[in-house]
Amino acid sequence: MKLWLLRPMEDNNLWDPWYDKCFGFVVRAESEEEARKIVGSSIEFGDEGKEAWLDPKNSTCVELTIEGKEEVIIRDFARA
């Protein structure tokens, strides 16, 4: 299995306004397609809707590997 990081595309109006929305998922799946399906079937997404996560035009989905620099992978914080 692989880990996938799904995040919104920059400048996509599906996340405007920012409240009541999800801004990231880390998913365990064999492929990007499966990762998107898992998120799309989740009851955990917000007002951005299922298509925000199923359509590659709306969100990114990149495989997380052990390679790379030391960094925080996801910090999902929104201030009102």
Coordinates of all heavy atoms in Angstrom, one line a residue:
M1 N 0.8 -1.2 0.0 CA 0.0 0.0 0.0 C 0.9 1.2 0.0 O 2.0 1.2 0.5 CB -0.9 0.1 1.2 CG -2.0 -0.9 1.3 SD -3.3 -0.4 0.2 CE -4.4 -1.8 0.4
K2 N 0.3 2.3 -0.5 CA 1.0 3.6 -0.6 C 0.2 4.6 0.2 O -1.0 4.5 0.4 CB 1.1 4.1 -2.0 CG 1.9 3.1 -2.9 CD 1.9 3.6 -4.3 CE 2.7 2.6 -5.2 NZ 2.6 3.0 -6.6
L3 N 0.9 5.7 0.6 CA 0.2 6.8 1.2 C 0.1 8.0 0.2 O 1.1 8.2 -0.5 CB 1.0 7.3 2.5 CG 1.0 6.4 3.7 CD1 1.9 7.0 4.8 CD2 -0.4 6.2 4.2
W4 N -1.0 8.6 0.2 CA -1.3 9.7 -0.8 C -1.8 10.9 0.0 O -2.5 10.8 0.9 CB -2.4 9.3 -1.7 CG -2.1 8.1 -2.5 CD1 -2.3 6.8 -2.2 CD2 -1.4 8.0 -3.8 NE1 -1.8 5.9 -3.1 CE2 -1.2 6.7 -4.1 CE3 -0.9 9.0 -4.6 CZ2 -0.6 6.3 -5.3 CZ3 -0.3 8.6 -5.8 CH2 -0.1 7.3 -6.1
L5 N -1.3 12.1 -0.4 CA -1.6 13.4 0.1 C -2.5 14.1 -0.9 O -2.1 14.4 -2.0 CB -0.4 14.2 0.5 CG -0.6 15.6 0.9 CD1 -1.4 15.6 2.3 CD2 0.7 16.4 1.1
L6 N -3.8 14.4 -0.5 CA -4.7 15.1 -1.3 C -4.9 16.5 -0.7 O -5.1 16.7 0.5 CB -6.0 14.4 -1.4 CG -6.1 13.2 -2.3 CD1 -5.7 12.0 -1.5 CD2 -7.5 13.0 -2.8
R7 N -4.7 17.5 -1.6 CA -4.8 18.9 -1.2 C -5.6 19.7 -2.3 O -5.5 19.3 -3.4 CB -3.4 19.5 -1.0 CG -2.6 18.9 0.1 CD -3.0 19.1 1.5 NE -2.7 20.5 1.8 CZ -3.2 21.2 2.7 NH1 -4.1 20.7 3.5 NH2 -2.9 22.5 2.9
P8 N -6.2 20.8 -1.9 CA -6.9 21.6 -2.9 C -5.9 22.2 -3.9 O -4.7 22.5 -3.6 CB -7.5 22.8 -2.1 CG -7.5 22.3 -0.7 CD -6.4 21.4 -0.6
M9 N -6.3 22.4 -5.2 CA -5.5 23.2 -6.1 C -5.5 24.6 -5.7 O -6.5 25.1 -5.2 CB -6.1 23.0 -7.5 CG -6.0 21.7 -8.1 SD -4.2 21.3 -8.5 CE -4.3 21.1 -10.2
E10 N -4.4 25.3 -6.0 CA -4.3 26.7 -5.7 C -5.4 27.5 -6.6 O -5.6 27.1 -7.7 CB -2.9 27.3 -6.1 CG -1.9 26.7 -5.2 CD -1.9 27.3 -3.8 OE1 -2.2 28.4 -3.6 OE2 -1.7 26.5 -2.8
D11 N -5.9 28.5 -6.1 CA -6.8 29.4 -6.8 C -8.1 28.7 -7.4 O -8.6 29.0 -8.4 CB -6.1 30.1 -8.0 CG -4.9 30.9 -7.5 OD1 -5.1 31.5 -6.4 OD2 -3.9 31.0 -8.2
N12 N -8.6 27.7 -6.6 CA -9.8 27.0 -7.0 C -10.9 27.5 -6.1 O -10.9 27.4 -4.9 CB -9.6 25.5 -6.9 CG -10.7 24.7 -7.4 OD1 -11.9 24.9 -7.1 ND2 -10.4 23.8 -8.3
N13 N -12.0 28.0 -6.8 CA -13.0 28.7 -6.0 C -13.9 27.7 -5.2 O -14.8 28.1 -4.5 CB -13.9 29.6 -6.9 CG -14.6 28.8 -8.0 OD1 -14.5 27.6 -8.0 ND2 -15.3 29.5 -8.8
L14 N -13.7 26.4 -5.3 CA -14.5 25.4 -4.5 C -14.2 25.6 -3.0 O -15.0 25.2 -2.2 CB -14.2 24.0 -4.9 CG -14.6 23.6 -6.3 CD1 -14.1 22.2 -6.6 CD2 -16.2 23.6 -6.4
W15 N -13.0 26.2 -2.7 CA -12.7 26.4 -1.3 C -12.9 27.8 -0.9 O -12.3 28.3 0.1 CB -11.2 25.9 -1.1 CG -11.2 24.4 -1.0 CD1 -11.3 23.7 0.2 CD2 -11.0 23.5 -2.0 NE1 -11.2 22.4 -0.1 CE2 -11.0 22.2 -1.5 CE3 -10.9 23.6 -3.4 CZ2 -10.9 21.0 -2.2 CZ3 -10.8 22.4 -4.1 CH2 -10.8 21.2 -3.5
D16 N -13.7 28.6 -1.6 CA -14.0 29.9 -1.2 C -15.5 30.1 -1.0 O -16.2 29.8 -1.9 CB -13.5 30.9 -2.3 CG -13.7 32.3 -1.9 OD1 -13.6 32.7 -0.7 OD2 -13.9 33.2 -2.8
P17 N -16.0 30.4 0.1 CA -15.2 30.8 1.3 C -14.6 29.6 2.0 O -15.0 28.4 1.7 CB -16.3 31.4 2.2 CG -17.5 30.8 1.8 CD -17.4 30.5 0.4
W18 N -13.6 29.8 2.9 CA -12.8 28.7 3.4 C -13.5 27.9 4.5 O -13.1 26.8 4.8 CB -11.5 29.3 4.0 CG -11.8 30.4 5.0 CD1 -11.9 31.7 4.8 CD2 -12.1 30.2 6.4 NE1 -12.2 32.4 6.0 CE2 -12.3 31.5 7.0 CE3 -12.2 29.1 7.2 CZ2 -12.7 31.6 8.3 CZ3 -12.5 29.3 8.6 CH2 -12.7 30.5 9.1
Y19 N -14.6 28.4 5.1 CA -15.2 27.7 6.2 C -16.0 26.5 5.8 O -16.5 26.4 4.7 CB -16.0 28.6 7.1 CG -17.0 29.4 6.4 CD1 -18.3 28.9 6.1 CD2 -16.7 30.7 6.0 CE1 -19.2 29.7 5.4 CE2 -17.6 31.5 5.3 CZ -18.9 31.0 5.0 OH -19.8 31.7 4.3
D20 N -16.2 25.5 6.7 CA -17.0 24.3 6.5 C -16.4 23.5 5.3 O -17.2 22.8 4.6 CB -18.5 24.6 6.3 CG -19.1 25.2 7.5 OD1 -18.6 25.0 8.6 OD2 -20.1 26.0 7.3
K21 N -15.1 23.5 5.2 CA -14.5 22.7 4.1 C -13.3 21.9 4.6 O -12.8 22.2 5.6 CB -13.9 23.7 3.0 CG -14.9 24.8 2.6 CD -15.5 24.4 1.3 CE -16.5 25.3 0.7 NZ -16.6 26.7 1.0
C22 N -13.0 20.8 3.9 CA -11.8 20.0 4.2 C -10.7 20.6 3.3 O -10.9 21.0 2.2 CB -12.0 18.6 3.9 SG -13.1 17.8 5.0
F23 N -9.4 20.6 3.8 CA -8.3 21.1 3.1 C -7.2 20.1 2.9 O -6.1 20.4 2.4 CB -7.8 22.3 3.7 CG -8.7 23.5 3.5 CD1 -9.7 23.8 4.3 CD2 -8.5 24.3 2.4 CE1 -10.6 24.9 4.1 CE2 -9.3 25.4 2.1 CZ -10.3 25.7 3.0
G24 N -7.4 18.8 3.3 CA -6.4 17.8 3.1 C -6.8 16.5 3.6 O -7.5 16.4 4.6
F25 N -6.3 15.4 3.0 CA -6.4 14.1 3.4 C -5.1 13.3 3.2 O -4.4 13.6 2.2 CB -7.5 13.3 2.6 CG -8.9 13.8 2.8 CD1 -9.4 14.8 1.9 CD2 -9.7 13.3 3.8 CE1 -10.7 15.3 2.1 CE2 -11.0 13.7 3.9 CZ -11.5 14.7 3.1
V26 N -4.8 12.4 4.0 CA -3.8 11.4 3.8 C -4.5 10.1 3.8 O -5.2 9.8 4.7 CB -2.7 11.5 4.9 CG1 -1.7 10.4 4.7 CG2 -2.0 12.8 4.9
V27 N -4.3 9.4 2.7 CA -5.0 8.2 2.4 C -4.1 7.0 2.1 O -3.1 7.2 1.4 CB -6.0 8.4 1.2 CG1 -6.8 7.1 0.9 CG2 -6.9 9.5 1.4
R28 N -4.4 5.8 2.6 CA -3.7 4.6 2.3 C -4.4 3.9 1.2 O -5.6 3.6 1.3 CB -3.5 3.7 3.5 CG -2.7 2.5 3.2 CD -2.5 1.6 4.4 NE -1.7 2.2 5.4 CZ -2.1 2.5 6.6 NH1 -3.3 2.2 7.0 NH2 -1.2 3.1 7.5
A29 N -3.8 3.7 0.0 CA -4.4 3.1 -1.2 C -3.3 2.6 -2.1 O -2.2 3.1 -2.1 CB -5.4 4.0 -1.8
E30 N -3.7 1.7 -3.0 CA -2.8 1.2 -4.0 C -2.5 2.3 -5.1 O -1.4 2.3 -5.7 CB -3.3 0.0 -4.7 CG -3.2 -1.3 -3.8 CD -1.8 -1.7 -3.5 OE1 -0.9 -1.5 -4.3 OE2 -1.6 -2.2 -2.4
S31 N -3.4 3.1 -5.5 CA -3.2 4.0 -6.6 C -3.9 5.4 -6.3 O -4.7 5.5 -5.3 CB -3.9 3.5 -7.9 OG -5.3 3.4 -7.7
E32 N -3.5 6.4 -7.1 CA -4.2 7.7 -7.0 C -5.7 7.6 -7.2 O -6.5 8.2 -6.4 CB -3.6 8.7 -8.0 CG -4.3 10.0 -8.0 CD -3.7 11.0 -9.0 OE1 -2.6 10.8 -9.5 OE2 -4.4 12.0 -9.3
E33 N -6.1 6.8 -8.2 CA -7.5 6.7 -8.4 C -8.3 6.1 -7.2 O -9.3 6.6 -6.8 CB -7.7 5.8 -9.6 CG -9.2 5.5 -10.0 CD -9.3 4.6 -11.2 OE1 -8.4 4.7 -12.1 OE2 -10.3 3.9 -11.3
E34 N -7.7 5.1 -6.6 CA -8.3 4.5 -5.4 C -8.3 5.5 -4.2 O -9.3 5.5 -3.5 CB -7.6 3.2 -5.0 CG -7.9 2.0 -5.9 CD -9.4 1.7 -5.9 OE1 -10.0 1.6 -4.8 OE2 -9.9 1.5 -7.0
A35 N -7.2 6.2 -4.1 CA -7.2 7.2 -3.0 C -8.3 8.3 -3.2 O -9.0 8.6 -2.2 CB -5.8 7.9 -3.0
R36 N -8.5 8.7 -4.4 CA -9.6 9.7 -4.7 C -10.9 9.1 -4.4 O -11.8 9.7 -3.9 CB -9.5 10.2 -6.1 CG -8.3 11.2 -6.3 CD -8.3 11.7 -7.7 NE -7.2 12.6 -8.0 CZ -7.1 13.9 -7.6 NH1 -8.1 14.4 -6.9 NH2 -6.0 14.6 -7.8
K37 N -11.1 7.8 -4.8 CA -12.4 7.1 -4.6 C -12.7 7.0 -3.1 O -13.8 7.2 -2.6 CB -12.4 5.7 -5.2 CG -12.6 5.7 -6.7 CD -12.6 4.3 -7.2 CE -12.7 4.3 -8.7 NZ -12.6 2.9 -9.2
I38 N -11.7 6.7 -2.3 CA -11.8 6.5 -0.9 C -12.3 7.9 -0.3 O -13.2 7.9 0.5 CB -10.5 6.0 -0.2 CG1 -10.3 4.6 -0.6 CG2 -10.6 6.2 1.3 CD1 -8.9 4.1 -0.2
V39 N -11.6 9.0 -0.7 CA -12.0 10.3 -0.1 C -13.4 10.6 -0.6 O -14.3 11.2 0.1 CB -11.0 11.4 -0.5 CG1 -11.5 12.7 -0.2 CG2 -9.7 11.1 0.2
G40 N -13.7 10.3 -1.9 CA -15.0 10.6 -2.5 C -16.2 9.9 -1.8 O -17.3 10.4 -1.7
S41 N -15.9 8.7 -1.2 CA -16.9 8.0 -0.5 C -16.9 8.3 1.0 O -17.8 7.8 1.7 CB -16.7 6.5 -0.7 OG -15.5 6.1 -0.1
S42 N -16.1 9.2 1.4 CA -16.0 9.6 2.8 C -17.1 10.5 3.2 O -17.5 11.4 2.4 CB -14.6 10.3 3.1 OG -14.6 10.9 4.3
I43 N -17.6 10.4 4.4 CA -18.6 11.4 4.8 C -17.9 12.5 5.5 O -18.6 13.4 6.0 CB -19.6 10.7 5.8 CG1 -18.9 10.1 7.0 CG2 -20.4 9.6 5.1 CD1 -19.8 9.7 8.2
E44 N -16.6 12.6 5.5 CA -15.8 13.6 6.2 C -15.5 14.8 5.4 O -15.0 15.8 5.9 CB -14.5 13.0 6.7 CG -14.7 11.8 7.7 CD -15.4 12.3 9.0 OE1 -15.2 13.4 9.4 OE2 -16.2 11.5 9.5
F45 N -15.8 14.8 4.1 CA -15.5 16.1 3.3 C -16.6 17.1 3.7 O -17.7 16.8 4.2 CB -15.4 15.8 1.8 CG -16.5 15.2 1.2 CD1 -17.7 15.9 0.8 CD2 -16.5 13.8 0.9 CE1 -18.7 15.3 0.1 CE2 -17.6 13.2 0.3 CZ -18.7 13.9 -0.1
G46 N -16.3 18.3 3.3 CA -17.2 19.4 3.7 C -18.0 20.0 2.5 O -18.3 19.3 1.5
D47 N -18.3 21.3 2.6 CA -19.1 21.9 1.6 C -18.5 22.0 0.2 O -19.1 22.4 -0.8 CB -19.5 23.3 2.0 CG -20.5 23.3 3.2 OD1 -21.1 22.2 3.4 OD2 -20.8 24.4 3.8
E48 N -17.2 21.7 0.1 CA -16.5 21.7 -1.2 C -17.1 20.6 -2.1 O -17.0 20.7 -3.3 CB -15.0 21.6 -1.0 CG -14.5 20.2 -0.6 CD -14.6 19.9 0.9 OE1 -15.2 20.6 1.6 OE2 -14.0 18.8 1.2
G49 N -17.6 19.5 -1.5 CA -18.2 18.5 -2.2 C -17.3 17.4 -2.7 O -16.1 17.5 -2.7
K50 N -17.9 16.3 -3.1 CA -17.2 15.1 -3.5 C -16.3 15.3 -4.7 O -15.2 14.9 -4.8 CB -18.2 14.0 -3.8 CG -17.5 12.7 -4.2 CD -18.4 11.6 -4.7 CE -19.7 11.5 -4.1 NZ -20.5 10.3 -4.5
E51 N -16.8 16.1 -5.7 CA -16.1 16.3 -7.0 C -14.8 17.1 -6.8 O -13.9 17.0 -7.6 CB -17.0 17.0 -8.0 CG -18.1 16.2 -8.6 CD -17.5 14.9 -9.2 OE1 -16.6 15.0 -10.0 OE2 -18.1 13.8 -8.9
A52 N -14.7 17.8 -5.7 CA -13.5 18.6 -5.4 C -12.3 17.6 -5.2 O -11.2 17.9 -5.6 CB -13.7 19.4 -4.1
W53 N -12.6 16.4 -4.7 CA -11.6 15.4 -4.5 C -11.5 14.4 -5.6 O -10.4 13.8 -5.8 CB -11.9 14.7 -3.1 CG -11.9 15.8 -2.0 CD1 -12.9 16.3 -1.4 CD2 -10.7 16.5 -1.6 NE1 -12.6 17.2 -0.5 CE2 -11.2 17.4 -0.6 CE3 -9.4 16.5 -1.8 CZ2 -10.4 18.3 0.1 CZ3 -8.5 17.4 -1.1 CH2 -9.0 18.2 -0.2
L54 N -12.5 14.1 -6.3 CA -12.5 13.1 -7.4 C -11.9 13.6 -8.6 O -11.2 12.9 -9.4 CB -13.9 12.6 -7.7 CG -14.6 11.8 -6.6 CD1 -16.0 11.5 -7.0 CD2 -13.8 10.6 -6.3
D55 N -12.0 14.9 -8.9 CA -11.5 15.5 -10.2 C -10.1 16.1 -10.0 O -9.9 17.0 -9.2 CB -12.5 16.6 -10.6 CG -12.2 17.1 -12.0 OD1 -11.1 16.9 -12.5 OD2 -13.1 17.7 -12.6
P56 N -9.1 15.6 -10.8 CA -7.7 16.1 -10.7 C -7.6 17.6 -11.0 O -6.6 18.2 -10.7 CB -6.9 15.3 -11.6 CG -7.7 14.0 -11.8 CD -9.2 14.4 -11.7
K57 N -8.6 18.2 -11.6 CA -8.6 19.6 -11.9 C -8.8 20.5 -10.6 O -8.5 21.6 -10.6 CB -9.7 20.0 -12.9 CG -9.4 19.4 -14.3 CD -10.6 19.8 -15.2 CE -10.6 18.9 -16.4 NZ -11.9 18.9 -17.0
N58 N -9.4 19.8 -9.6 CA -9.7 20.5 -8.4 C -8.8 20.3 -7.2 O -8.7 21.1 -6.3 CB -11.1 20.1 -7.9 CG -12.2 20.6 -8.9 OD1 -12.1 21.6 -9.5 ND2 -13.2 19.7 -9.2
S59 N -8.1 19.2 -7.3 CA -7.2 18.8 -6.1 C -6.0 18.0 -6.6 O -6.0 17.4 -7.6 CB -8.0 18.0 -5.1 OG -8.5 16.8 -5.7
T60 N -4.9 18.1 -5.8 CA -3.7 17.4 -6.1 C -3.8 16.1 -5.3 O -4.4 16.0 -4.3 CB -2.4 18.1 -5.7 OG1 -2.5 18.4 -4.3 CG2 -2.3 19.4 -6.5
C61 N -3.1 15.1 -5.8 CA -2.9 13.8 -5.1 C -1.6 13.3 -5.4 O -1.3 12.8 -6.5 CB -4.0 12.8 -5.6 SG -4.0 11.2 -4.7
V62 N -0.7 13.4 -4.4 CA 0.7 13.0 -4.6 C 1.1 11.9 -3.7 O 0.6 11.9 -2.5 CB 1.7 14.2 -4.5 CG1 1.5 15.2 -5.6 CG2 1.6 14.8 -3.1
E63 N 1.9 10.9 -4.1 CA 2.3 9.8 -3.3 C 3.3 10.4 -2.3 O 4.3 11.1 -2.6 CB 3.0 8.7 -4.1 CG 3.4 7.6 -3.3 CD 4.1 6.5 -4.1 OE1 4.1 6.6 -5.4 OE2 4.6 5.6 -3.5
L64 N 3.1 10.0 -1.0 CA 4.1 10.3 0.0 C 5.1 9.2 0.1 O 4.8 8.0 0.1 CB 3.4 10.4 1.4 CG 2.5 11.6 1.5 CD1 1.8 11.5 2.9 CD2 3.2 12.9 1.4
T65 N 6.4 9.5 0.0 CA 7.5 8.5 0.1 C 8.4 8.9 1.3 O 8.2 10.0 1.9 CB 8.3 8.5 -1.2 OG1 9.0 9.8 -1.3 CG2 7.5 8.3 -2.4
I66 N 9.3 8.0 1.6 CA 10.2 8.3 2.7 C 11.3 9.2 2.3 O 12.1 9.7 3.1 CB 10.8 7.0 3.3 CG1 11.5 6.2 2.3 CG2 9.7 6.2 3.9 CD1 12.3 5.0 2.9
E67 N 11.4 9.4 1.0 CA 12.5 10.3 0.4 C 12.1 11.7 0.6 O 10.9 12.1 0.6 CB 12.7 10.0 -1.1 CG 13.0 8.6 -1.4 CD 14.3 8.1 -0.7 OE1 15.3 8.9 -0.6 OE2 14.3 7.0 -0.2
G68 N 13.1 12.6 0.7 CA 12.8 14.0 0.8 C 13.3 14.6 2.1 O 13.9 14.0 2.9
K69 N 13.2 15.9 2.2 CA 13.7 16.7 3.3 C 12.8 16.5 4.5 O 11.6 16.1 4.4 CB 13.8 18.2 3.0 CG 12.5 18.8 2.7 CD 12.6 20.3 2.4 CE 11.3 20.9 2.2 NZ 11.3 22.3 2.0
E70 N 13.3 16.8 5.7 CA 12.6 16.7 6.9 C 11.6 17.9 6.9 O 12.0 19.0 6.7 CB 13.5 16.9 8.1 CG 12.9 16.6 9.4 CD 13.9 16.7 10.5 OE1 14.6 15.6 10.8 OE2 14.1 17.7 11.1
E71 N 10.3 17.6 7.1 CA 9.3 18.7 7.0 C 8.0 18.2 7.6 O 7.8 17.0 7.8 CB 9.1 19.1 5.5 CG 8.5 18.0 4.7 CD 8.3 18.3 3.2 OE1 7.9 19.5 3.0 OE2 8.5 17.5 2.4
V72 N 7.1 19.1 7.9 CA 5.7 18.8 8.3 C 5.0 18.4 7.0 O 5.1 19.2 6.0 CB 5.1 20.0 9.0 CG1 3.6 19.7 9.3 CG2 5.8 20.3 10.3
I73 N 4.3 17.3 6.9 CA 3.6 16.9 5.7 C 2.3 17.7 5.6 O 1.9 18.2 4.5 CB 3.3 15.4 5.7 CG1 4.6 14.6 5.8 CG2 2.5 15.0 4.5 CD1 5.6 14.9 4.6
I74 N 1.5 17.8 6.7 CA 0.3 18.5 6.6 C 0.0 19.2 7.9 O 0.1 18.6 9.0 CB -0.9 17.6 6.2 CG1 -2.2 18.4 6.0 CG2 -1.1 16.5 7.2 CD1 -3.3 17.6 5.3
R75 N -0.4 20.4 7.8 CA -0.9 21.2 8.9 C -2.1 21.9 8.4 O -2.1 22.8 7.5 CB 0.1 22.3 9.3 CG -0.4 23.2 10.5 CD 0.7 24.2 10.8 NE 0.2 25.0 11.9 CZ -0.4 26.2 11.8 NH1 -0.6 26.7 10.6 NH2 -0.8 26.9 12.8
D76 N -3.3 21.5 8.8 CA -4.5 22.0 8.3 C -5.2 22.8 9.4 O -5.9 22.3 10.3 CB -5.4 20.8 7.9 CG -6.6 21.2 7.0 OD1 -6.7 22.4 6.7 OD2 -7.3 20.3 6.6
F77 N -5.0 24.1 9.3 CA -5.5 25.1 10.3 C -6.2 26.2 9.6 O -5.7 26.8 8.6 CB -4.3 25.6 11.1 CG -4.7 26.6 12.2 CD1 -5.3 26.2 13.4 CD2 -4.5 27.9 12.0 CE1 -5.6 27.1 14.3 CE2 -4.8 28.9 12.9 CZ -5.4 28.5 14.1
A78 N -7.4 26.6 10.1 CA -8.1 27.7 9.6 C -8.5 28.6 10.7 O -9.1 28.1 11.7 CB -9.3 27.3 8.8
R79 N -8.2 29.9 10.7 CA -8.6 30.8 11.7 C -9.8 31.7 11.3 O -9.8 32.2 10.1 CB -7.4 31.7 12.0 CG -7.6 32.7 13.1 CD -6.4 33.4 13.4 NE -5.3 32.4 13.5 CZ -4.2 32.6 14.1 NH1 -3.9 33.6 14.8 NH2 -3.3 31.6 14.1
A80 N -10.7 31.8 12.1 CA -11.9 32.6 11.8 C -11.6 34.1 12.1 O -10.8 34.5 12.9 CB -13.1 32.2 12.6

